[in-house]
Amino acid sequence: MMKLLTPLFMCLIVGLSVTSSPTATTVVDQSDLDRMKSAVQLSSPVSSNSLSTLYYSILSQTLLSQTISQSADVCNHLKTIKDQTLESIYYITSTAKLLTNCQLNSAQYMTKLEPVIKEDSSVLDIYRAAISLLNLGKPLDSTKVSKALMSSLKKDESLLNTGLTFQLAAKLSKAEDRNSFVEKIGDIIVQADEVDGRFLQFEGGLGITASIITGVYQLATASNKPVGLTNDQALKFANYFLSRKYVLTPKGISELLEVLKLFTNNKYHIPVVITNYGSSALSPTNSVLTVRVTNVLGASLGPLSVTIDKAVRVDDKNVILSKKPFQGVQGDSKLFAINFLESKPMRGQYDVSVSATPTKADPRLIGNTGVQIKVIVLTQVSIASAEITVADRDTGGSGAVTKLEYPNTVRNPLEADTQQRIVVKFQLRDKIVGDLMTAHQTFVQFVNIKTKQEIVFIAEPDSVLNYKLDLNLLTKAKDLNYVNGVYDILIIIGDAVISNPIQWKIASINLQLSSVTSSSETTETVSPFVPKPEIKHLFREPEKRPALIISNAFSILVLIPIVILFGLWLKIGVNLSNFPFSLSALVFHTGLALIFGLYICFFLKLDMFQTCKYLAGLGVITFLAGHSLLARLAKNRKQ
């Protein structure tokens, strides 16, 4: 039993050791903010817009630090609205509060708002009424609002109601009225859904998630209590909001900006976003790795010390850098740079762990340590020891060897046929380090000069990194469609770590792949769009029929018994005196006659299936009538 548990325990330890904390991987940058500004602009703020659209557009512009156009016209428009529903009053008062010097006549709204705050009202109605009163500068009865919210929330404790309750409870003046709601924070957070180990969200999407998280932070701050979110949970919620940065509606933009602004300034959590700035592919001409360190809205976090914890080469897990500091970029406090190639790293992909520490300690910063960044160190490749050999097929590759020198092409075309083989050999050398290397894409391409037909073969390296393509023309002629002619031979080299991919025409070769050289079929390829020849199918010929005289003689022999029958009837006479003229007798004989007639039709024109279909109906009727007739005859005979 212990032997079985040991591997399981070791797997668990390894799994725990490689688990890393979530980090923010994107940011709302200036291009995102510009897109949002365009989305919330209203061509005519007053006319043809609903109150909700007007409110969310102006709220979004305020959050984006924009000047509200036609502010006075909007304020005058709000004052002329006659709609006195609770929803309209909420949007009117909320919009007016966002405008400069827009004073509403509060008396006309008070009689509509104060009666709503009661225990049998919905959470949404209580929220709108209370917020409207605050917008008008009126104080709230903290105890009354708290009791009404608690009673209403017990009736409908939906996610949306909970988020609105938290936000409104944060505005209550008495601590004892807030405490009962603070206790619910933990219960609501556990209802969040985790996605891909990186995101946390509530069912219902952006609006509900933003409402709850905003309410949680506001309520915890107002009550001076722990927020009830771990650092990892806060980062996962922040990642979810950042993933929704492409929202286009004014309502969605305002909800997103409100919660992201909360994540840039609160007493609990400020997520840090560390991302690559510029290209992550480094080469001798671009040796500087630059990272950008900001909050979720792309703003500076103040003086920071940014360090590479370690840089690990993915292929062999070698650590090439450790505890290496970045230098701040002059003129931009958000950018930090380091000469990554100073330590002469090998080509390949690197996992770089970066941490950012504030000069003045700030425990609110989260996601600022061990952030993983991908870096690719590029190199330049050269082709060495290249040669092409045309040899007899049975000699194992030995033959006339032609040395190749990049980027030159063999001057005179080579010759080959199906009794020969083509062998291409070369090596790939790292220009910077000088060692032999491999590449992901190493192809030898044949291109027919006349038809432009292409075929690509893969060159494989051996154990000492010598690439070779051995092409037996007898077996590969089919791949070339047996098309004779002159072909260009090219070597194609490519890789994610190569900054100078190569396409080198090494030679031309005249291939004779078919013995028929004058036929157009061997010199031209057939277009796949040309109609194919008609397929003519020959069905099996029918069996030979007997001679006409034999068929007629057989038909006469078949009819002779019927002729004899009618002849005897004429001679002897027909006695119908005992014929029972009843319905069953008439139906039976009529059905019998029709059956014989059906057989004649079957002989002349009907097929078997049609005959069987008609016979089924006639047969049943004839059978029943015959049965009734025979029963009647038997009864008469007994009497």
Side-chain angles (χ1 to χ4, degrees):
M1 184 66 178
M2 192 62 181
K3 292 182 179 180
L4 292 174
L5 287 176
T6 301
L8 180 61
F9 178 76
M10 292 302 296
C11 291
L12 179 61
I13 294 298
V14 172
L16 291 174
S17 65
V18 300
T19 301
S20 58
S21 298
T23 56
T25 56
T26 187
V27 66
V28 176
D29 55 22
Q30 190 58 47
S31 63
D32 298 317
L33 295 176
D34 291 341
R35 184 184 64 253
M36 293 178 186
K37 289 177 182 178
S38 300
V40 300
Q41 287 294 337
L42 298 177
S43 57
S44 177
V46 174
S47 62
S48 69
N49 288 305
S50 65
L51 280 172
S52 60
T53 301
L54 181 63
Y55 165 65
Y56 288 119
S57 297
I58 293 178
L59 176 58
S60 298
Q61 293 176 48
T62 303
L63 294 170
L64 290 166
S65 302
Q66 289 184 284
T67 302
I68 308 302
S69 62
Q70 304 180 35
S71 176
D73 293 340
V74 174
C75 184
N76 292 331
H77 171 65
L78 295 175
K79 293 177 181 179
T80 60
I81 296 176
K82 302 300 182 182
D83 189 354
Q84 295 293 302
T85 62
L86 180 59
E87 181 181 7
S88 297
I89 295 173
Y90 168 75
Y91 285 124
I92 291 171
T93 58
S94 297
T95 306
K97 188 176 182 181
L98 297 173
L99 302 175
T100 304
N101 298 324
C102 185
Q103 300 296 325
L104 298 176
N105 181 11
S106 59
Q108 62 177 322
Y109 302 119
M110 296 299 293
T111 56
K112 299 286 186 180
L113 298 176
E114 291 180 339
V116 175
I117 302 177
K118 55 184 179 179
E119 296 185 4
D120 58 349
S121 296
S122 67
V123 170
L124 180 59
D125 287 347
I126 296 171
Y127 174 83
R128 285 176 170 172
I131 296 298
S132 298
L133 288 171
L134 292 174
N135 291 336
L136 294 170
K138 304 300 180 181
L140 294 179
D141 185 335
S142 179
T143 303
K144 180 181 178 181
V145 173
S146 176
K147 290 181 179 179
L149 276 177
M150 185 61 70
S151 175
S152 183
L153 190 63
K154 288 179 180 179
K155 299 173 186 176
D156 184 5
E157 198 167 359
S158 66
L159 293 174
L160 177 59
N161 284 349
T162 304
L164 296 177
T165 298
F166 287 168
Q167 292 182 46
L168 184 54
K171 302 180 185 302
L172 300 180
S173 57
K174 296 180 180 179
E176 59 270 19
D177 293 331
R178 295 190 298 263
N179 290 338
S180 56
F181 300 106
V182 174
E183 295 171 358
K184 292 181 175 294
I185 291 178
D187 296 334
I188 199 68
I189 293 300
V190 297
Q191 298 182 42
D193 300 323
E194 184 169 329
V195 180
D196 197 27
R198 298 188 299 126
F199 306 107
L200 272 177
Q201 68 180 85
F202 290 99
E203 184 180 355
L206 174 61
I208 289 178
T209 306
S211 175
I212 292 175
I213 296 303
T214 301
V216 165
Y217 276 90
Q218 290 178 349
L219 181 57
T221 302
S223 303
N224 198 25
K225 297 291 180 95
V227 73
L229 285 171
T230 66
N231 291 350
D232 284 359
Q233 287 175 326
L235 279 168
K236 290 176 182 179
F237 277 116
N239 275 336
Y240 169 71
F241 294 124
L242 289 170
S243 72
R244 298 299 308 274
K245 67 179 183 177
Y246 297 104
V247 65
L248 294 176
T249 63
K251 182 176 185 293
I253 291 173
S254 63
E255 291 168 341
L256 178 65
L257 290 176
E258 276 192 306
V259 73
L260 288 181
K261 276 186 174 290
L262 185 71
F263 273 124
T264 64
N265 186 20
N266 65 80
K267 61 185 291 186
Y268 301 103
H269 301 122
I270 298 180
V272 177
V273 185
I274 303 176
T275 56
N276 271 330
Y277 183 81
S279 175
S280 61
L282 306 181
S283 65
T285 58
N286 176 33
S287 61
V288 177
L289 171 64
T290 305
V291 297
R292 179 173 58 181
V293 184
T294 66
N295 61 23
V296 292
L297 288 178
S300 173
L301 291 164
L304 296 170
S305 174
V306 183
T307 307
I308 291 181
D309 297 331
K310 63 179 178 178
V312 181
R313 190 167 184 260
V314 174
D315 291 342
D316 52 20
K317 305 304 179 185
N318 284 338
V319 178
I320 63 151
L321 288 176
S322 179
K323 301 300 179 181
K324 194 75 172 177
F326 284 81
Q327 300 298 320
V329 175
Q330 189 70 26
D332 195 331
S333 61
K334 298 176 289 188
L335 300 182
F336 301 84
I338 187 173
N339 189 340
F340 193 81
L341 300 189
E342 188 176 20
S343 60
K344 302 187 182 305
M346 285 284 293
R347 63 189 173 272
Q349 181 174 313
Y350 290 81
D351 288 335
V352 181
S353 177
V354 180
S355 294
T357 306
T359 303
K360 182 180 179 180
D362 188 349
R364 299 178 301 165
L365 299 186
I366 58 175
N368 59 318
T369 59
V371 179
Q372 295 296 316
I373 293 177
K374 299 291 184 182
V375 174
I376 297 177
V377 175
L378 302 179
T379 189
Q380 292 187 341
V381 66
S382 63
I383 300 180
S385 305
E387 62 183 38
I388 182 171
T389 303
V390 178
D392 290 338
R393 181 161 47 88
D394 299 329
T395 61
S398 60
V401 178
T402 302
K403 296 293 184 180
L404 304 172
E405 191 71 29
Y406 179 79
N408 300 324
T409 303
V410 176
R411 181 173 301 176
N412 298 320
L414 306 175
E415 301 280 342
D417 57 32
T418 54
Q419 299 303 312
Q420 295 174 304
R421 65 199 312 143
I422 301 172
V423 181
V424 179
K425 297 179 181 179
F426 58 91
Q427 294 176 329
L428 300 181
R429 191 172 296 277
D430 189 323
K431 278 187 176 183
I432 299 175
V433 180
D435 64 336
L436 295 179
M437 61 177 289
T438 59
H440 288 161
Q441 301 168 352
T442 52
F443 305 132
V444 178
Q445 183 184 44
F446 284 70
V447 182
N448 189 297
I449 294 178
K450 184 176 181 181
T451 66
K452 304 305 179 184
Q453 173 188 351
E454 300 177 0
I455 185 168
V456 176
F457 300 96
I458 299 175
E460 300 284 355
D462 58 18
S463 58
V464 292
L465 304 185
N466 292 317
Y467 280 90
K468 179 180 179 181
L469 172 68
D470 191 344
L471 203 64
N472 187 336
L473 292 178
L474 181 63
T475 59
K476 296 299 182 181
K478 181 179 179 181
D479 296 333
L480 294 164
N481 290 337
Y482 301 99
V483 177
N484 298 336
V486 179
Y487 289 77
D488 287 338
I489 305 177
L490 299 92
I491 292 178
I492 301 174
I493 307 297
D495 195 285
V497 300
I498 292 177
S499 61
N500 63 326
I502 293 174
Q503 185 175 3
W504 174 26
K505 177 184 173 182
I506 59 175
S508 296
I509 188 167
N510 187 8
L511 297 181
Q512 298 299 318
L513 304 176
S514 173
S515 59
V516 183
T517 59
S518 60
S519 172
S520 62
E521 293 182 1
T522 62
T523 58
E524 295 184 7
T525 56
V526 179
S527 170
F529 305 105
V530 174
K532 300 296 183 183
E534 180 184 357
I535 299 175
K536 296 182 179 180
H537 181 73
L538 181 63
F539 290 94
R540 188 179 68 177
E541 295 183 0
E543 299 292 339
K544 187 176 180 181
R545 291 179 177 272
L548 183 61
I549 188 171
I550 297 177
S551 298
N552 291 337
F554 181 78
S555 299
I556 292 172
L557 290 174
V558 170
L559 293 174
I560 285 177
I562 297 178
V563 174
I564 294 174
L565 174 63
F566 282 102
L568 291 175
W569 278 354
L570 292 174
K571 182 178 180 180
I572 300 173
V574 178
N575 182 12
L576 298 177
S577 59
N578 290 329
F579 184 83
F581 287 96
S582 62
L583 179 61
S584 59
L586 293 174
V587 172
F588 170 73
H589 287 87
T590 302
L592 197 60
L594 290 175
I595 289 174
F596 282 116
L598 180 62
Y599 288 157
I600 295 172
C601 293
F602 170 62
F603 182 76
L604 296 176
K605 56 186 292 187
L606 298 179
D607 58 33
M608 181 178 66
F609 298 102
Q610 293 173 320
T611 304
C612 290
K613 180 174 66 175
Y614 297 136
L615 184 60
L618 288 174
V620 171
I621 295 173
T622 305
F623 170 77
L624 294 175
H627 183 272
S628 177
L629 175 61
L630 291 175
R632 181 182 292 275
L633 292 175
K635 182 180 179 181
N636 293 338
R637 186 173 299 173
K638 288 182 179 180
Q639 292 176 353

